[in-house]
Amino acid sequence: SGSGITSEMDDQSSFISDHSSGGLSFWRSLTYAILASSAQVIDVPRAELDGLFRPVENEPGITELVLYDNVASGAGHSKKIAGKFQEVLERTLGLVSSCSCGSSCYDCLRTYTNQIFHDDLDRHLVRRFLLPIVEQLRPDDRQKAFAPHSSRVDGERVTLLLDRAVR
């Protein structure tokens, strides 16, 4: 599998536990938040995208998030998302940070198709996970004034930051 957002977990049982950096609630919430933001960034209906998370085969404790087109013959949406992934992460953080709901609602994480998981979704888990990553990718104005070139991060550095953020 390629580079992506990963979360290291102790064993298979912690894959299904619910804590701030792992577990089903976190992965479901992250998946639906990224799907919602991706649809906004590439300007397609949310129904044309889908995703899943799964343990990586032969790599105990590693989980991957897979996004894919949910249209016949594919439409290239996944490639567009990959090309704008920093913007997707920024939009995702904005989505989960700006909502005024308790943990999830139809304005942030919920959809008709994920209603079986509504009680499991928590935008706060996604916010806590993404905040340090997005801050590294795009520092605030005060940080830019102090260190003007601090927002320049290459692709390898982004992968490293994503990997470290969840360990």
Side-chain angles (χ1 to χ4, degrees):
S1 62
S3 298
I5 298 175
T6 60
S7 176
E8 191 170 316
M9 297 177 223
D10 299 328
D11 57 28
Q12 190 63 18
S13 65
S14 63
F15 178 77
I16 54 175
S17 69
D18 183 18
H19 52 85
S20 64
S21 64
L24 291 175
S25 184
F26 166 75
W27 285 104
R28 283 185 180 126
S29 300
L30 180 65
T31 301
Y32 291 122
I34 288 180
L35 287 168
S37 297
S38 295
Q40 292 173 5
V41 168
I42 66 169
D43 195 26
V44 298
R46 165 60 184 84
E48 291 188 12
L49 300 175
D50 213 341
L52 57 90
F53 56 92
R54 63 183 181 194
V56 176
E57 192 173 331
N58 298 322
E59 293 193 43
I62 304 295
T63 303
E64 67 183 351
L65 177 64
V66 179
L67 305 178
Y68 56 91
D69 299 358
N70 196 23
V71 293
S73 302
H77 296 330
S78 300
K79 287 183 182 182
K80 291 176 190 171
I81 292 167
K84 296 182 173 196
F85 199 65
Q86 180 173 335
E87 185 179 349
V88 168
L89 291 178
E90 292 167 354
R91 180 76 59 96
T92 304
L93 178 60
L95 176 72
V96 298
S97 297
S98 64
C99 196
S100 60
C101 69
S103 60
S104 69
C105 68
Y106 283 95
D107 289 331
C108 60
L109 302 180
R110 293 181 180 186
T111 66
Y112 176 77
T113 58
N114 71 13
Q115 62 186 326
I116 193 170
F117 305 121
H118 284 182
D119 290 340
D120 226 16
L121 301 177
D122 188 342
R123 67 185 181 86
H124 303 288
L125 293 174
V126 177
R127 184 181 184 283
R128 281 193 297 270
F129 172 75
L130 286 179
L131 188 61
I133 295 170
V134 172
E135 284 177 347
Q136 289 288 326
L137 297 174
R138 185 162 300 217
D140 63 27
D141 291 336
R142 199 163 99 186
Q143 185 176 350
K144 285 181 185 177
F146 177 75
H149 302 292
S150 61
S151 64
R152 296 186 183 159
V153 180
D154 65 16
E156 288 181 30
R157 179 91 171 119
V158 171
T159 301
L160 179 63
L161 289 170
L162 291 171
D163 191 42
R164 285 185 183 166
V166 295
R167 289 184 188 216

